[in-house]
Structure formats: C-alpha cells, structure tokens
Amino acid sequence: MAVAQSVVEARNYVGGRWVAASTEETFEDRSPADTRQLLGVVPRSSATDVEAAARAARQAYPEWRRWSRIKRAEVLDEFVQLVKRDKEELARLMAVECGKAINEARADVVEGIHTAQYWFGRARMASGEVLASEIADKESYVLHKPKGVVAAITPWNFPFAIPMWLICPSLVEGNTVVFKPAEETPLTGQRIVEYMEKAGLPAGVLDLVHGFGEEVGWPLVTHPEVDVVLFTGSAQVGSMIKEACARDYHKFCVCEMGGKNAMIVFDDADFDLAVNAAVISAFKTTGQRCVSAERLIVQQGILERFTRAFVERARRIRIGHPLNEDTFMGPLVSEAGLNKVLGYNRLAREEGAQVLLDGGRLEDGEERYGYYVRPFVYTMPHRSDSRVLREEVFGPHVAIVPFKTIEDAIAIHNDCEYGFALSVCSRDYRKIRAIREECEFGVGYVNLPTIGAEVHLPFGGLKKSGTGMPSAAALQEAVTHRVTFTINHGQEIKMAQGLQTQVEALES
Ligand code: NAD
C-alpha cells in the first residue's frame, strides 16, 4: 500500500525561526512500511546548530521563568485543542513514519494529549512544602525553581508521547528546552514544536534540532549551556550520557532505557487470559516497546499446553501495512532494526534454542518494500551465559523459559541486567505477592500484559533500565532545584539547636 503524501521539507526551529541546518545538508525520512515512500527531507544538523539552539534557549529562559506557572501551563491547554483537531492525521503520519499499527499510533497521540492535560492541571496544584521551624517566629518553605536549559533527547518508538513526557514538565516548571527527536521520526517530532508555536509559546522557549545521535545528540549533551539532560533510549547511549553528565559539575541527567521484560505464568493462571496477555506483551508494536516481553517464564505443569496455544496465536497474527485497521504487527522501524532482530534470531539457534516459530522476513508482495518480519518463538532452559535470554532484541523475538518452583521463577527473572516491566499470571495472591517482593522491576502487572502505561503512574525501571524517574513527580524534581527559604516574623534573631547569637554583648 503506497500512500500518497506530499514530501515535507523539515526545518530546525531556533529562537522562533524555522531554519535549515548550518551544514545545508539533509537526510531522507522514508517509511519503514514501504521504503519507496519518501515522507520528508530533514536537516542534517551539526554542533553549530546545537550551539545556536542552546543559546536561543538560554536567552529565552529569564523571561519564561518569570511567567506564572499557571500561565505557562495554559500554553499546553491551547496545544491540546490544536492536536485534538488533527488527531487522526497525526496518527496516520506517525504510523507511516515509524511503522506502528494505526490503532497504536492513535493511542500514542492520546498519551501525548493526556500528558499535556496532566501538566496543565498540575500547574494549579500545590508545588513545594511549608515546614515547621524549631523557632515559633520562623516559617520555612521548600520551593521548586527551574534549573535552566533542558535537553530532551528521545527515541522513535513513541515519537509523540515520549517527547511530551519530557517537554511538558520542563516547560511548566519554567525551563526552556532544546528538543532532539529521533532521526527515524523527525516529522512527528517537528509537529510537536509546530503546535507549541501555534499555541503561543514565546520564541526560544522550545527549540528543535534535527539530526543524528553523534552529530546533534552528543554536542547537546555536552553543551555547557545545558543544565539538564532528559534522555529516553537505549542503555548503551544512556550510560555514555550518564558518564558525560557526571564529569560536568552542574549537569543533571535522567536516563530511561531498555528492558528484557518477562511474564511469569504459573500453573494456576487463567489460561486464555495468560496466553492473550503474552501475545500482547510480545508482539504489540512489533515487540518494539521498552516494556515488550521477550521472556515468557512458564511453570512446568502448563508448559506444553501454553506453548502450543501461544505459538498457534502468534502464527495467526496479521502482519501488514500500519494503516490497515486489522494489522496487528507493522514493520520494524529500519534496516538496522531488521538486521538486529534477524541476528538475534540466528544467535538463538547458535545458543541451542528449540525454534517453534521462525521469524523470517516477509519477502513477497507489497511487504517486500518494508521491514516486515514474522514472530520468532523459541524455547530454551534458562542459562546465565546466554546472550539471547539477557540482551534486549527490540522485535518480535520471544523465549519460553520453563520453571519448576516459585524460587526458580524469581531467580530466572532476576538473572538479567535489566529490570523494567514484569507481569505475573496467577490466581494465588501469595505467589503474586512473593513475585512483587522478590523480583527486580519498576512496572508490575498482575493478570495483564507487560505493556499498558498511563501518564499519571510512575514508569521506569531499575538496573540497566534506568532510574525510575519519568513519573510526573520525579520529573518535577529532575528539572527543578529544591530551594529552602526561611522567613523570620519576629523582632529578633533566634537560632535553632539552641545556638547563642551572642550579639547583645556587641551592641553596648
Ligand atoms: P537510541 O538510544 O539509539 O536513540 C535514542 C535517542 O538518542 C535518539 O534521538 C538518538 O539520535 C539519540 N542518540 C543516539 N546516540 C547518541 C549519542 N551518542 N549522544 C546523544 N544522543 C544520542 O534508541 P532508539 O533506537 O531510538 O530507541 C529504542 C530504545 O529506547 C530501546 O532500548 C528501548 O527500550 C528504549 N526505550 C526506553 C523507554 C523508557 O521509558 N525507558 C521508552 C521507549 C524506548
């Protein structure tokens, strides 16, 4: 299905002006669903463009910071009205740009809207605290003050919702932002900035620089004008960013990264619910969610029946163009993504997996123009030295790993460098509780898939997955300083801890 659409000439947005990259170079944005479809021509920016954007953001900061918190948030209300009007068109752009099925693209837009609505509402809620003092005449407040210029560096798989998670709290709290969207989804990223401009955001408050990780992302991370780096993406890039920020005395970063998520299915689970939850966990978004399950840890008693049913349902998954309403799995995002998944499929065989469903590429029909693969399902006993059981694949590649006792399930689950999403399927609250207490994860579900975030719930992981910071409350902390401010309502200076001022003797 080649979809007619005019080619967008994307631009950077710096200090309120839409501009080409200083390099005057561009790169092509093609649909992974059909690479014959050119969607946009995008500025291939460099450190020079980052410099201009960071300077514009710094310049806009003092004035933006002085706006009332509520006034700042009102821009988001305006933004929401504009996005709602274009919701379907935006979802369709996203579906062809990153390949996610249209119903998922719609949900991504809705998640972005919810985030803006959440921060719009939150602006009128209490922020900070009033604390008692040892001295009756004193009052202490804790205030949140903005940190300055925030860099928002985002992945392609939620190209609308994730930038909104990072941009909204930054703006409402009074920071200015330089936004670098993923190079796979520049047009969806640009739309956020276009709506913000129309919604009345002053020039320079949100700047946009398109381009690649090393050429734009890294100069942004290391730029001296940037005070906070909010990054969502792979663990490999996240750890480099953490290291760079640690070297810079004033720079704070939040890095939310990948997962090797698992679903634990006990013998007593509601069978159909568990199988369906596993299918959704493994294959929605073609397995390209940070919370997708790549490990199904299944108890011996139902292993055979579960495996048969799961493979059967996985075989029936409809793979196709993301704009078809009945498509369950669209393509992988890129040729690099495709090669990575096929490489891990090969590695599973090399590591001795028993392959139950072979996830080859779709080579016929219209699908041959995109990066479409079938689900890859295998079974393999847990091994600590296995790479396929421990590394994030980011595709429809899933292992069924048997276990006997609950202790085994916990040990298998935790023998992994990541700790993001976990689902447990059981009817026994004691087992559910033991899993909750003993497993290392950030987002847990019971009798549900491993996917299903809502914007007001904390979302993040442990270990290589991140810091668990991108919950609303935590992000407020990330983009603000806590300032303690104490006022004396009395006529004389009284100190805490019984400290004597000894100033009387000096007065006479
Ligand atoms: P990625 O790490 O390759 O890229 C993410 C962003 O970082 C992109 O904008 C990219 O251009 C930029 N980048 C790349 N190299 C850089 C560098 N050296 N310096 C600065 N910036 C650089 O990730 P991706 O392929 O876009 O996204 C997939 C990954 O994101 C997966 O690992 C997935 O699990 C993770 N993810 C995590 C969450 C979460 O909430 N924790 C959500 C979605 C995706």
Side-chain angles (χ1 to χ4, degrees), residues 117-425:
Q117 288 171 326
Y118 175 88
W119 281 98
F120 170 61
R122 214 180 132 132
R124 284 182 186 264
M125 312 280 278
S127 163
E129 293 159 58
V130 180
L131 299 173
S133 165
E134 287 172 34
I135 312 298
D137 287 340
K138 283 189 191 172
E139 263 173 7
S140 290
Y141 305 86
V142 176
L143 304 170
H144 289 273
K145 290 180 75 176
K147 281 192 176 150
V149 176
V150 173
I153 302 177
T154 53
W156 59 267
N157 69 334
F158 279 79
F160 191 75
I162 292 183
M164 293 297 290
W165 295 353
L166 308 184
I167 291 170
C168 292
S170 303
L171 294 182
V172 168
E173 296 300 339
N175 302 276
T176 54
V177 177
V178 180
F179 169 37
K180 189 213 111 36
E183 53 270 37
E184 293 89 348
T185 50
L187 302 188
T188 309
Q190 177 159 323
R191 292 292 290 269
I192 293 175
V193 181
E194 288 171 2
Y195 289 123
M196 288 287 189
E197 181 192 34
K198 286 199 187 109
L201 204 64
V205 170
L206 174 62
D207 300 272
L208 167 75
V209 190
H210 287 294
F212 295 94
E214 294 86 31
E215 294 167 3
V216 173
W218 193 250
L220 188 53
V221 167
T222 51
H223 197 284
E225 290 291 1
V226 169
D227 300 293
V228 182
V229 179
L230 300 181
F231 166 82
T232 306
S234 62
Q236 191 199 1
V237 175
S239 78
M240 283 165 32
I241 291 177
K242 282 191 192 186
E243 231 181 284
C245 291
R247 276 196 296 270
D248 200 334
Y249 70 95
H250 80 286
K251 206 166 277 186
F252 188 82
C253 71
V254 176
C255 295
E256 293 306 321
M257 301 168 284
K260 185 73 180 177
N261 310 294
M263 203 171 142
I264 299 174
V265 185
F266 284 96
D267 285 345
D268 68 353
D270 178 325
F271 186 77
D272 277 314
L273 184 148
V275 178
N276 285 336
V279 168
I280 293 166
S281 304
F283 302 124
K284 274 284 176 191
T285 330
T286 319
Q288 300 167 107
R289 287 188 183 224
C290 51
V291 287
S292 294
E294 294 183 2
R295 300 183 296 157
L296 305 174
I297 304 173
V298 182
Q299 202 164 18
Q300 288 286 1
I302 53 157
L303 181 64
E304 218 184 294
R305 190 171 158 231
F306 179 91
T307 303
R308 218 177 316 114
F310 179 76
V311 169
E312 212 30 65
R313 280 174 223 192
R315 201 192 299 282
R316 287 194 213 116
I317 279 179
R318 293 187 78 107
I319 303 168
H321 196 280
L323 290 181
N324 289 339
E325 292 290 341
D326 58 359
T327 288
F328 191 107
M329 275 188 8
L332 292 167
V333 69
S334 62
E335 192 170 357
L338 174 78
N339 290 335
K340 184 175 175 204
V341 171
L342 295 179
Y344 274 105
N345 293 356
R346 274 195 300 277
L347 183 63
R349 286 183 200 283
E350 285 162 27
E351 289 191 352
Q354 186 192 341
V355 177
L356 306 169
L357 199 57
D358 195 343
R361 185 176 184 177
L362 274 69
E363 315 260 19
D364 300 325
E366 292 286 292
E367 279 76 32
R368 71 184 186 281
Y369 296 112
Y371 305 117
Y372 296 90
V373 286
R374 297 180 192 85
F376 184 83
V377 184
Y378 60 103
T379 179
M380 189 161 145
H382 181 72
R383 269 178 24 205
S384 294
D385 64 350
S386 160
R387 283 183 53 207
V388 279
L389 292 180
R390 294 165 62 89
E391 295 176 10
E392 183 186 50
V393 177
F394 222 52
H397 167 112
V398 61
I400 298 178
V401 183
F403 77 91
K404 283 200 187 98
T405 64
I406 189 166
E407 290 76 20
D408 293 342
I410 293 163
I412 292 170
H413 178 274
N414 289 346
D415 187 15
C416 172
E417 290 173 347
Y418 292 95
F420 204 149
L422 158 75
S423 156
V424 49
C425 288

Side-chain angles (χ1 to χ4, degrees), residues 75-119:
V75 176
L76 298 184
D77 182 43
E78 230 13 75
F79 173 93
V80 166
Q81 310 312 320
L82 297 167
V83 175
K84 277 187 171 171
R85 193 195 59 195
D86 294 351
K87 198 173 119 190
E88 183 62 19
E89 187 256 318
L90 189 53
R92 292 176 76 83
L93 166 68
M94 185 194 302
V96 291
E97 193 175 38
C98 77
K100 67 165 71 174
I102 184 67
N103 75 86
E104 294 195 50
R106 288 185 190 118
D108 194 322
V109 176
V110 171
E111 190 173 334
I113 290 174
H114 287 171
T115 302
Q117 288 171 326
Y118 175 88
W119 281 98

Side-chain angles (χ1 to χ4, degrees), residues 60-62 64-67 69 72 146-148 168-176 479-480:
Y61 172 61
W64 178 244
R65 183 171 63 84
R66 288 185 200 113
W67 279 38
R69 197 163 183 257
R72 286 195 298 257
K147 281 192 176 150
C168 292
S170 303
L171 294 182
V172 168
E173 296 300 339
N175 302 276
T176 54
V479 298
T480 58

Side-chain angles (χ1 to χ4, degrees), residues 376-502:
F376 184 83
V377 184
Y378 60 103
T379 179
M380 189 161 145
H382 181 72
R383 269 178 24 205
S384 294
D385 64 350
S386 160
R387 283 183 53 207
V388 279
L389 292 180
R390 294 165 62 89
E391 295 176 10
E392 183 186 50
V393 177
F394 222 52
H397 167 112
V398 61
I400 298 178
V401 183
F403 77 91
K404 283 200 187 98
T405 64
I406 189 166
E407 290 76 20
D408 293 342
I410 293 163
I412 292 170
H413 178 274
N414 289 346
D415 187 15
C416 172
E417 290 173 347
Y418 292 95
F420 204 149
L422 158 75
S423 156
V424 49
C425 288
S426 170
R427 291 184 166 105
D428 181 342
Y429 77 90
R430 287 194 182 83
K431 290 181 194 153
I432 294 167
R433 186 168 190 276
I435 294 295
R436 187 192 73 198
E437 293 304 303
E438 302 301 327
C439 288
E440 295 156 353
F441 65 95
V443 182
Y445 296 96
V446 177
N447 299 326
L448 282 167
T450 53
I451 69 170
E454 296 180 47
V455 303
H456 56 291
L457 301 175
F459 183 78
L462 319 172
K463 296 153 94 177
K464 250 170 115 171
S465 298
T467 52
M469 283 291 270
S471 61
L475 273 181
Q476 183 194 29
E477 294 288 343
V479 298
T480 58
H481 294 290
R482 277 173 161 251
V483 173
T484 307
F485 198 64
T486 300
I487 300 171
N488 178 19
H489 294 283
Q491 301 286 313
E492 53 185 309
I493 299 169
K494 293 182 187 161
M495 307 301 286
Q497 298 100 29
L499 182 79
Q500 303 296 312
T501 64
Q502 297 173 303

